[in-house]
Amino acid sequence: MVYFDFDWGVHRGWKVRQEGEAWMHMGEAVQVVRYILPVKSFTQRYASLQGFLDNWIQFTGDLVKVMEDKQVVTIVIDTATTEWDLCKDAYLEDIQRNQKPGTPPRRQLLQSEYGEPNRRQQGRFDLARAYRKNLVIVQHETDEYQPLVIAGHVQVDDQGQPRSAPSGKRVPDGFRRTEALLDWLFRAKVSEPGKKAKFTIRKSAAGVDLVGMGFEEFSYPILCQRLRQMERL
């Protein structure tokens, strides 16, 4: 297993522990890869980005290497929420670098410019399928936003971009096509402090009737055992 620890939180993982410089999960070695991500300016709202593109190039190079490594079975990206932000900021930095000298730095990506970051994100799934790897995507949750419609008209901002408002639904925070590209989707929720997270199947590759099934104790072996009992594996 190779664990891309963008949030530097692998030590909080279930049955994960560190022995010296080595990381172990249930008795097996885990290769943990971390990056020191750049920090945006605290004093300027819109400033030239630096370091995001270099980190993105490093990550994509490392990802291809582990995909090509026949000894690697499982790759984890934790969290893909942070990785998606890095992908967008790296592309924005690339745009800023190619601006005319003396031009104020671009503030953000336009809606029409998301095609390239989207392509790069989908490439992770394409690589995993091509190299037959288990790809585990960990994401935070966020509010779902929908276009703001008043009197039948979509509201726009001062740049002509559609405005949006919370729908009241919680969704994975990150690349919007992640759910569509996954084989399985699980939601982990802690009901009370100190309690274990309960996992619920939100998308199933072994039958739509499994959607909604919950697990008080959850792990990959437990999932496989449940599927075998149901003659789905």
Side-chain angles (χ1 to χ4, degrees):
M1 179 187 292
V2 176
Y3 197 106
F4 288 98
D5 189 18
F6 281 94
D7 284 14
W8 288 59
V10 65
H11 55 282
R12 295 192 295 269
W14 184 65
K15 293 191 177 181
V16 173
R17 57 190 173 86
Q18 189 174 16
E19 297 181 359
E21 296 297 321
W23 288 92
M24 306 294 293
H25 176 255
M26 299 180 69
E28 296 187 10
V30 177
Q31 179 186 344
V32 176
V33 182
R34 286 171 164 169
Y35 305 97
I36 300 177
L37 300 180
V39 178
K40 296 181 180 179
S41 173
F42 288 109
T43 58
Q44 299 181 47
R45 184 178 179 186
Y46 300 111
S48 296
L49 301 179
Q50 294 182 350
F52 294 90
L53 183 56
D54 290 339
N55 271 269
W56 176 256
I57 292 172
Q58 181 65 51
F59 163 63
T60 54
D62 292 341
L63 183 62
V64 171
K65 287 180 182 178
V66 299
M67 288 286 183
E68 294 176 342
D69 190 339
K70 294 182 179 179
Q71 293 185 329
V72 176
V73 177
T74 299
I75 299 167
V76 180
I77 299 178
D78 183 9
T79 62
T81 302
T82 303
E83 182 263 346
W84 172 233
D85 287 338
L86 175 63
C87 177
K88 294 183 293 182
D89 288 334
Y91 189 55
L92 179 57
E93 181 182 344
D94 194 21
I95 291 176
Q96 291 178 345
R97 288 185 180 186
N98 288 283
Q99 287 185 256
K100 293 180 179 180
T103 304
R106 278 281 303 278
R107 297 181 175 185
Q108 59 189 24
L109 295 177
L110 301 177
Q111 194 65 36
S112 60
E113 293 173 331
Y114 271 81
E116 179 60 21
N118 289 342
R119 182 193 65 79
R120 295 176 182 182
Q121 290 295 285
Q122 182 159 341
R124 303 169 306 168
F125 298 95
D126 296 338
L127 278 173
R129 289 193 172 94
Y131 286 100
R132 301 184 66 82
K133 305 292 186 183
N134 296 323
L135 180 62
V136 179
I137 301 292
V138 181
Q139 288 182 293
H140 298 301
E141 281 191 325
T142 188
D143 291 322
E144 178 188 56
Y145 280 78
Q146 294 181 339
L148 180 60
V149 180
I150 299 178
H153 299 282
V154 176
Q155 304 301 297
V156 298
D157 58 21
D158 54 3
Q159 295 183 341
Q161 300 296 314
R163 295 176 61 189
S164 57
S167 68
K169 179 182 176 182
R170 300 286 288 177
V171 295
D173 185 8
F175 176 46
R176 64 183 178 83
R177 294 201 63 232
T178 296
E179 184 172 345
L181 294 167
L182 294 175
D183 296 316
W184 291 88
L185 175 63
F186 302 92
R187 185 184 187 215
K189 183 177 181 180
V190 177
S191 57
E192 298 179 29
K195 298 290 185 178
K196 290 184 178 180
K198 178 180 179 181
F199 282 74
T200 304
I201 297 176
R202 299 289 292 273
K203 183 179 180 180
S204 164
V208 69
D209 58 309
L210 299 184
V211 174
M213 179 182 291
F215 295 80
E216 297 294 339
E217 292 282 345
F218 183 82
S219 67
Y220 183 72
I222 289 175
L223 173 63
C224 291
Q225 181 183 20
R226 182 78 67 87
L227 294 177
R228 290 192 186 97
Q229 291 173 346
M230 301 178 68
E231 298 183 347
R232 303 293 177 91
L233 187 65

